[in-house]
Amino acid sequence: MINFTNRYLVLLFFITCTAFMGACKKENWNQHNELISQSLDRNLLQEINSNPELSTFSEFLKQTGYADTLQQSKPYTVWAPSNKALESLDQAVVNNPEKLKKFVSYHISRQSYFTTMPQGSLKIKTLSGKSITFTSTKFEEASITSANSYVTNGVLHVVNQAIEPKLNAAEYMLSLNQASKQSSFIQALFHTEMDTSKAVKLYNDPITRKPVYQDGTTFAVTRNHFYQKVSDITSEDSLCTYLILTDAAYEAEKDKLRQYYNTGVDASTDTATQWSIIRDLVFSDVYSVDDFASPVTAISGVKIRVNKNDIVETRQLSNGVAYVVNKIDYDLMENKIPTVTIQGEFVDSLRVPSSATAKIKRTPSGELYADVQATSITSSPDPLYYFRYKTTVNSVKYKVYWRAINDIYTSNINMKVDFGLTSFYPKAAQTPLATTGYKSVAPVANNPAAYQDALVGEYDSAVHGTLYAFLVSSLGATSAAPTALTLDYIKLVPVN
Amino acid sequence: MQLFTKSFKRLFLPALVVAVSASELAAQQADSIQVNTSVDKVNPNQLRVSGTVKDARTGKPIPGVSVSVSNYAAALSDDKGMFRISIPNLNALVLVSAQGYQGKQVSLKGSKKVEISLFEDSYSSVYDVAQLPYGDKPLSQTVFSVASINTEGSWNRANETADSYLQGNVAGLNATRRSGTPGIGADLLIRGYNSLYATAQPLVVVDGMIYDLNTYANSLISGHRTNHLANVDLKDIDNITVIKDGTSLYGTRGANGVILITTGRAKGEATRLDFGAYGGFNSKVENLPVMGADKYRIYLADLLKSSGSSDAQIGSMPFMNEGSYPAYSRTTNWQDEVINGGYSKNYYLKVSGGDNIATYALSMGYLDNDGLTKNTNLTRYQTRFNANLNLSQKLKATANLAFSRAEQNLRDQGRSFDTNPLYLGLIKAPFLYPYEIPALGKVSPNLAGVDDFSMSNPFSAVEKALALDRNYRFVGSVGFDYAFNKKFNLQSVVGITYDKIRENTLRPKLGVVSEVLNTAVGENKPGANVVRYFSVYTDTWASYKHSFNTNHSLKANLGFRFNSSKSESDYGIGYNTASDEFVTLGGVESTLRIVGGGIGQWNWLNTYANVDYNAYNKYFLSFNVAADASSRFGTDAGSLSVGGTNIALLPAIGGAWLISSENFMKGQKAIETLKLRASYGISGNEDIGNYGSKKYYVSQGFLNRQGLVRGNIGNSSLKWETVKKANIGLDAALYNERINLSIDVYNTNISDMLVYEPTGSLSGFPYALTNSGSMQNTGLEIAVNTRIINNEKLVWGMGFNLGTYKNKIKSLPAGIPLNSYAGATYLMREGRAANLFYGYKTNGVYTSAAEANASGLMNKLSNGSLVPFQGGDVRFVNTNGDAVIDKNDMQVIGNPNPDFVGGLSNRLAYKRWSLDALFTFSVGNDIYNATRASLESMSGYENQTLAVLNRWRTDGQVTNIPRAVWGDPAENARFSDRWIEDGSYFKLRTVSLSYDVPFKAAFMKYATVYATANNVFTVTKYLGYDPEFSSQGSIFARGVDTGLEPIYKSVQLGVRIGL
């Protein structure tokens, strides 16, 4: 009898052992890893499908194929318009698969964005390629009615309005009838070029010296000078403010600026004038109407004012804001028509007896400057010794200043500035260039005024374009009375 | 139970009376001696005892039992189990022994008729003989706290080492297996930590020779330690005796207790052959639940987002476009790639025999055991030769020779984040693959390199890395025993130990992150390391024994031990050989080669004496004393100096009273043995460093010149740590030994404790070694051994032991800083345990930014900056109310020391079957789960556990996992109670079933078949592979799970054949 009981004891022992074996560790971890929110067991699609208020959007997801996207193991944020919001959606969008796709993808972005994240507002790029503005309560203009439903692959917000994708600055400009002149000038700047960024270079052509690339690694691409050189207003990655001039305003600007861009040839004068108009209309950030009451600096560096009353239309864009204006206002001189500064050390060409030296120095007050000097000039040949500089000027009258520091000799140095339209510097017998005439530069010792810039003359530029400025050495230099060339900068200040 | 209490009361009163009126008692004793001697002289045959000997199991009489009274008379039992024997007096002990049965020392308790029942010889009882340094002694007569295990080879536990075998078997001995690496052994702690910076491991003595367990250089293999005790095959071991107190005989090496191991010798002159063969399977451990590719990808995107990457940047990452990048489209379970199950093989042969002049026992063993990490295994060969020689009537000699060689393939473990396959297997991005996958999608046979996240390929870390440990140890000794006469003996043991460890390592270039060095990038890194240890050991002693009359006996020993040791370690590491196949140090770039090492030489002289006194076989007294000199002591150490040498004088005294042998216990049938013990002793710990008491210089390079600079502040008063142990114990055997019980209460006071005392910055050294700490351990141990069912067919025995202690720092020098190890911080303060986890308490996670603001708290980061808490940050508890969470808010968050540890053993025997099950447990110890801390810190590319799915995302979310932010700028993953877990466990440590095959064949004596399962289950709340590990022996590494190879389940089938 006892043995019988014992046998059961042994059995019991074994059963207990086996029971323990399975139980222990997994259970601990399951408890530790237990999902606190059940929604973390679902993906975005399941979450959307489980919400009857989003059945229309869910249907759209299925139609456009984004249903698959939302099941992927990558995080997304969905701003799903409720059924009610979608009632007001344009049927043209619903019935056009292309547009619908654009619409749906405009409500989905990569990564998880919670309403706690925007400090103010966040610009988020959606799968449509367009950016949206997200604040703690709003998706673009729509209000978020149910926020921050997080699931395994992202977060879902429900919004109360169907938002159609916005245009970007370029698209908006093209869509405008009343600003066709600005638009058509920019259109005219499209051109074709070879993209060599992925090119495999084989060798340099021995004759042309140009690189030769492997076939198939370069591509012909259409690009626009304006987008390349001023600002790519088609980009969805950055925000800008864009001013669009009505045709009337555009014409008025052209008339006003033409005199300063006179190249002597009508066609190129016109192009230069128009370029000068469009160049100054892009601002790298979003500015309000009120901001323009005081001058705002455009990407080109020119400060522009806009009177509130001159704004015809304001348009929120996917990449910022556009204002259609019938007048812009700015300071003309030293702003629209810029001051030209020629830095002495950036010599275009030179003719001196020995090498010129550029140095970085410090004024007695501690300010750094860099200048160029050619010393020990002991003769005055024909043509004279000079530094040549190349610059671009408007067709306007300039006052000429220089800052030349004579820390070389204890006697004055005489120099002059000549201006020519070609790079050639004439001999004494030939036609002389426009000149400021010789001016003397006093030695620097005990003379703080020597560090100031000095007015040396005027130059009236007849044409817009390239100008050569020559810093010319004095006449009559001898080994007993040597001279020198020294220049920190020449400044051409436009004046009326 | 009621019965027990009653009898205890009855017992207690007389004990009290005795204690109060000691003088009266002495008078009575004198009387009884006189009476008895006179009787002897008149008629020696008159005083006789008769009795019967029965089998405790069957109740049947046992014929042929040898019954004797020491130095007086002998008899045999007849076929009815009856015997008659003359005795000198009624205090005499009747010794009973029979083949296959336990030996017993029967106390007559004043009666002339005794009934003796004998259990089988493996029964662990109070009559077990402890094999003490100077002779065997039954546990019923010991005065100190001693445990003895007759392992009998423990053939059913073939793959164990002696240290891991002890786990759960001895009360108060806490054996913590270091990891799951084969042969890695266990850290042993007898009665807790008795030192902070010196060794806390007990002294191990094998066959009378100190067996050095220290390692004299760090391994080049991360997380690895060579376990020298693995060189002693468990099957060679006959007996393990653990001395917990009164270890003064071993002087300044006995502070942490002594473990005496006795290996097997020939049991008779007949030739015996024992053969064992085992094969087994090691299972894999259960994987930790980390994220799969899909969840990891989402986590990674969130994390990259938090690092400031734009949507477009994240979207263009290859793993976000897995369709176009097949190399990023896999779903790899990396844990499966780096760990595997394996096999174990173990063969053993022992031949013993001899003649009346010489007996010998020769054994040979081979072991091959696969490790958990792929490509790791342990192979060991060992042989042992023990001989006893009777050279003349008076001169006996012994010889012990043992040689073992092990070769172990390992991989880095622990905190080697670039090369530890186990760690890499957890954190590696699951969408990657071990092999390269080119754009076309076909898997290449080439191993994948380091990935985009600067993470090594775990598969490369198991396939290409090299971490080989080859070691051998030779221990040889000869002993002589010359008997001048019956009273005087002179004995001596002389032996040497030679040990060598050779390591070769390679951190490969392929697939493993390169090391950034000062002047170069280290792409691959071969290393080699040789550690040698050589020691000469002698122990010579004279022993004296004398019985004054039949009631008084005295044993005394006087001797000295001398131990001279030498160690040397040499290592070299280099970088950038031509290829991963070219792994010699000669091939490395010469400017990047680093060589180093260390040497040590130390001597120890221990002069000792002990006296054991036994009166009436009831009262026992022991006195031990040792006078130690060591080359390690400073010149100004200690007060006692002999000839300029400083001496540590360490006495111990103990007494025991065998209450059950008193006449008044005659009626107490239930109480067979009852013994009260008390002891007090002083021992020491000389592990204070070879040269800490002297000034030394180290070489240093400066501006391309090599020079010598001071290496330390020599402390000429540096001395041993003094450990004073007081112990009161009770041993009892009740109900015919059906219940054996042993209880001990102890108090250990450690003074002159070694500490690194902060010095002024003017000294140029941050610390100096001084003897200026003190500590206390108080504890309780209980060991119970019962035979619950005891009949002819079925036997069920259950053993239970438990040890608990409280550790307390009593004094420390001022300004001791916090200790840190692997990210954990330990507090050491007076009045508290020595190694408390000290960190931040947490209280969930701020659910919103508003709530974080409302708390008004600022977060002081480790760079000193103050930042406000944000929604999703961990709510650290502010203790001082100063509106800043900083290191002043740290508090004690856990205690790595267990409340109690112990074991529960069961033995069921049914006919020829027997089943042994050993459970071990540890309760109340806290663990810092450093592995989980990196798996839930959410700061980088490391894969994380599934728990991080609950990470805080947005306002109002109630969770306990903080926000995921690149680099963890708010330091939410700092050392806090988030990572402190309860490490209590209850483990079915070993269960084994054995069957004695009935054989009739004459050539075969016996055959036994074993089936053993280890680590069958563990009940724990711990979230790691296993709560049992020990990454270092140091007290300041305890309870930190750095990610060593976990202990795994294994099964073995084996057979033992005796010819």
Side-chain angles (χ1 to χ4, degrees), chain A residues 60 63 89-100:
Chain A
F60 287 172
Q63 285 174 27
L89 182 63
D90 191 351
Q91 283 304 305
V93 174
V94 180
N95 295 327
N96 180 335
E98 202 53 44
K99 279 189 171 167
L100 185 64

Side-chain angles (χ1 to χ4, degrees), chain B residues 612-632:
Chain B
D612 284 355
Y613 172 67
N614 170 356
Y616 306 106
N617 290 319
K618 281 190 284 200
Y619 314 108
F620 306 97
L621 199 66
S622 266
F623 176 75
N624 297 337
V625 65
D628 272 30
S630 165
S631 64
R632 290 171 168 175

Side-chain angles (χ1 to χ4, degrees), chain A residues 6 28 32 34 73-74 113, chain B residues 297 305 311 320 794 1020:
Chain A
N6 288 337
N28 292 337
H32 179 70
E34 196 184 349
S73 64
K74 293 165 193 175
Y113 287 97
Chain B
R297 189 181 292 117
K305 176 80 197 158
D311 290 4
M320 298 302 278
L794 183 82
T1020 179

Side-chain angles (χ1 to χ4, degrees), chain B residues 740-762:
Chain B
N740 288 292
L741 183 75
S742 187
I743 301 174
D744 275 284
V745 185
Y746 61 88
N747 182 14
T748 309
N749 272 301
I750 303 106
S751 52
D752 304 325
M753 189 168 62
L754 201 66
V755 286
Y756 287 88
E757 187 169 343
T759 56
S761 54
L762 283 176

Side-chain angles (χ1 to χ4, degrees), chain B residues 221 407-410 466-470 502-505:
Chain B
I221 304 160
E407 188 164 325
Q408 190 159 20
N409 274 301
L410 294 149
L466 172 74
L468 179 65
D469 175 314
R470 284 171 293 184
R502 182 181 282 279
E503 288 176 340
N504 290 86
T505 61

